[in-house]
Amino acid sequence: MIDLEQRYFSVRQRISTTAQQLKQDQPCLLAVSKKHPADAIRALFQLGQRQFGENYWQEAEEKMQQLQDLDIEWHFIGPLQSNKTRAVAANFAWVHSVDREKIAQRLSDQRPAGLAPLNVCLQVNIDDEDSKSGVTPEQLLPLARKISGLPRLSLRGLMCIPRAGNDPAQQQRAFQRLAQLQADMKSELRGSDCAVDTLSMGMSADLEPAIAAGSTLVRIGTALFGDRQKNVTNPS
């Protein structure tokens, strides 16, 4: 686990240095642990990491059972099917990938009464890619208005996965568009109980332009854990 420790502190330093250079607030680090084993999550927890992101309920469920002694804040960040909403609503603190009213309504209806409202971000298909989930920018505000009134959800902000590429300027433009959409949504929902304080954007390859555009949470997998393992539970 020495390599894991080195990668963890390297990523933390990368985030801190970028934020300081840009005079930006330092975003939260979400460790994306999909396809990585529970013992790696435990090791990062022991180093101080508390927020972990999973893409698939079946894989997450097994890890949660193995790590139930740890006070982990679990984030669901993958596409969400209707038949998985009950389990996700009961076991996660955050969902970053809401893009349909039906899914939001099910999450609200199925969130256990004994838990705090489920924090959600709306996923925006910021580059209009056929392969990506998410609402279009034009669909965002009508969906936000509908979701903002659901009683067991707390609408916190937006998430995106921009087009893959090596052009930091192009990446930053996509992130800036998301930041503007968040500002529009915050204005639209002024007076509601929604905090609208989260921009979930930036991954291992593009966290610097994301921070420059105002990211409040970066989702980091490969730079922390290394290449994904193939022997973890098949996703579902």
Side-chain angles (χ1 to χ4, degrees):
M1 292 296 177
I2 294 177
D3 287 345
L4 181 63
E5 181 175 357
Q6 291 174 340
R7 286 194 294 266
Y8 177 64
F9 288 111
S10 176
V11 168
R12 301 276 332 178
Q13 185 61 47
R14 186 178 163 193
I15 293 170
S16 175
T17 298
T18 301
Q20 289 176 7
Q21 289 175 344
L22 294 167
K23 295 182 171 56
Q24 300 275 35
D25 291 337
Q26 186 168 316
C28 171
L29 169 60
L30 178 66
V32 177
S33 46
K34 68 176 181 179
K35 296 299 183 74
H36 296 288
D39 59 351
I41 297 174
R42 184 177 294 276
L44 275 190
F45 185 93
Q46 291 171 346
L47 293 172
Q49 181 64 26
R50 294 294 180 266
Q51 293 81 22
F52 291 86
E54 289 285 333
N55 286 57
Y56 308 107
W57 164 243
Q58 183 176 324
E59 181 185 339
E61 180 183 22
E62 183 176 335
K63 295 176 188 177
M64 287 177 175
Q65 291 173 353
Q66 296 177 52
L67 300 167
Q68 57 186 309
D69 58 309
L70 304 183
D71 186 19
I72 289 174
E73 181 180 272
W74 292 103
H75 293 233
F76 191 85
I77 61 175
L80 183 54
Q81 301 170 343
S82 296
N83 64 344
K84 298 296 190 298
T85 55
R86 184 175 298 278
V88 169
N91 290 279
F92 286 82
W94 286 74
V95 175
H96 292 235
S97 50
V98 174
D99 61 2
R100 287 169 287 161
E101 183 182 3
K102 175 185 176 181
I103 293 296
Q105 184 68 63
R106 289 176 66 87
L107 289 171
S108 179
D109 292 345
Q110 295 168 350
R111 181 68 167 174
L115 298 178
L118 181 64
N119 298 294
V120 300
C121 291
L122 304 185
Q123 182 172 353
V124 179
N125 189 343
I126 199 69
D127 287 319
D128 193 25
E129 296 180 84
D130 292 339
S131 62
K132 299 277 178 67
S133 300
V135 299
T136 66
E138 293 74 22
Q139 296 169 328
L140 175 62
L141 292 184
L143 180 61
R145 285 193 294 269
K146 293 174 182 177
I147 291 178
S148 66
L150 294 177
R152 301 296 298 143
L153 301 185
S154 177
L155 180 53
R156 298 294 297 271
L158 302 178
M159 184 270 265
C160 77
I161 305 172
R163 189 185 306 276
N166 298 317
D167 182 354
Q170 178 182 340
Q171 294 166 345
Q172 189 167 343
R173 285 193 294 272
F175 293 136
Q176 288 171 337
R177 287 197 298 273
L178 193 74
Q180 182 58 57
L181 289 171
Q182 187 209 34
D184 294 342
M185 187 172 80
K186 190 170 186 176
S187 177
E188 180 74 16
L189 300 179
R190 184 178 292 115
S192 73
D193 293 331
C194 302
V196 192
D197 56 4
T198 300
L199 276 172
S200 172
M201 58 188 193
M203 298 184 288
S204 294
D206 57 15
L207 71 83
E208 286 85 0
I211 295 174
S215 174
T216 65
L217 181 149
V218 291
R219 309 181 306 274
I220 308 299
T222 302
L224 279 175
F225 293 98
D227 293 333
R228 296 170 188 165
Q229 298 189 12
K230 297 181 179 180
N231 59 347
V232 178
T233 303
N234 289 329
S236 177

